Amino acid sequence: MAELYPIEELLLHWAYRVQTEGTTLLLRRFKQAGYDVTPEQFGVLARLGLEEGMNQTQLGERMLKDRHNMTRILNLLEKHGHIERRADSSDKRIFRIFLTERGHKVREALTPVVIRHLDELLDGVPDRDEATTLKVLRRIVANVRRCTLEVC
């Protein structure tokens, strides 16, 4: 059984810190590059760069965002001219989401910033340790999902 304290010895504490501190640093790097885009918004631009034309539900599932958060992100991206919503040709209630020319340019400009950021975060981490950490984190996610579906 895991002990709760000292909290600095918990794997999930460090996973949380990597997420929060890494996201804060990336936001600062975006601002230094002259872009008023959050890492969360960039994630949507990057995903749309791979799979344009998804509807909001599909995009939310891929981004692990609930409907409310996905709507908020998309509204901001649309307001700043990064995306456009187009009615689905077979179901007018559904909107497909596409990058605008501006959205493509922002994604292209920030991709090297993100790559450099990730490289710097992993500086000094051997490939085998990165692979092991990824394997462990995937196992933890699988355990969370299992416990979500059944009583643990």
Side-chain angles (χ1 to χ4, degrees):
M1 183 161 102
E3 294 291 326
L4 291 179
Y5 297 98
I7 196 166
E8 293 81 13
E9 299 301 318
L10 295 176
L11 173 66
L12 295 179
H13 167 76
W14 289 102
Y16 173 76
R17 288 208 37 200
V18 166
Q19 173 63 28
T20 56
E21 292 180 30
T23 299
T24 300
L25 177 58
L26 186 57
L27 178 61
R28 187 171 61 215
R29 288 176 166 168
F30 285 172
K31 288 182 188 284
Q32 288 170 345
Y35 290 89
D36 187 23
V37 174
T38 66
E40 191 174 51
Q41 292 167 351
F42 174 79
V44 171
L45 297 177
R47 175 56 67 178
L48 287 172
L50 296 173
E51 300 179 80
E52 280 196 282
M54 286 184 282
N55 65 43
Q56 181 173 325
T57 301
Q58 293 166 326
L59 186 56
E61 288 169 357
R62 284 173 180 75
M63 300 300 304
L64 304 176
K65 302 288 181 198
D66 63 31
R67 185 178 252 321
H68 172 74
N69 283 323
M70 198 72 250
T71 298
R72 178 184 52 79
I73 295 166
L74 293 175
N75 285 345
L76 285 169
L77 288 172
E78 188 174 42
K79 176 182 175 184
H80 291 103
H82 300 305
I83 65 158
E84 63 182 3
R85 294 173 167 122
R86 299 180 199 157
D88 185 273
S89 58
S90 61
D91 186 344
K92 299 299 181 197
R93 298 171 297 169
I94 296 174
F95 288 91
R96 302 278 172 191
I97 304 161
F98 295 86
L99 291 175
T100 61
E101 184 177 332
R102 180 178 178 150
H104 279 288
K105 287 180 180 177
V106 169
R107 183 185 63 79
E108 289 170 13
L110 290 178
T111 295
V113 174
V114 173
I115 291 170
R116 188 172 56 252
H117 173 75
L118 295 173
D119 286 344
E120 289 174 356
L121 293 185
L122 292 170
D123 184 42
V125 177
D127 289 346
R128 69 182 182 283
D129 290 350
E130 182 182 348
T132 299
T133 303
L134 184 58
K135 183 178 178 181
V136 169
L137 291 172
R138 284 181 172 153
R139 177 74 250 167
I140 292 169
V141 168
N143 290 341
V144 168
R145 289 182 177 157
R146 179 179 50 82
C147 288
T148 299
L149 297 173
E150 57 188 64
V151 178
C152 287

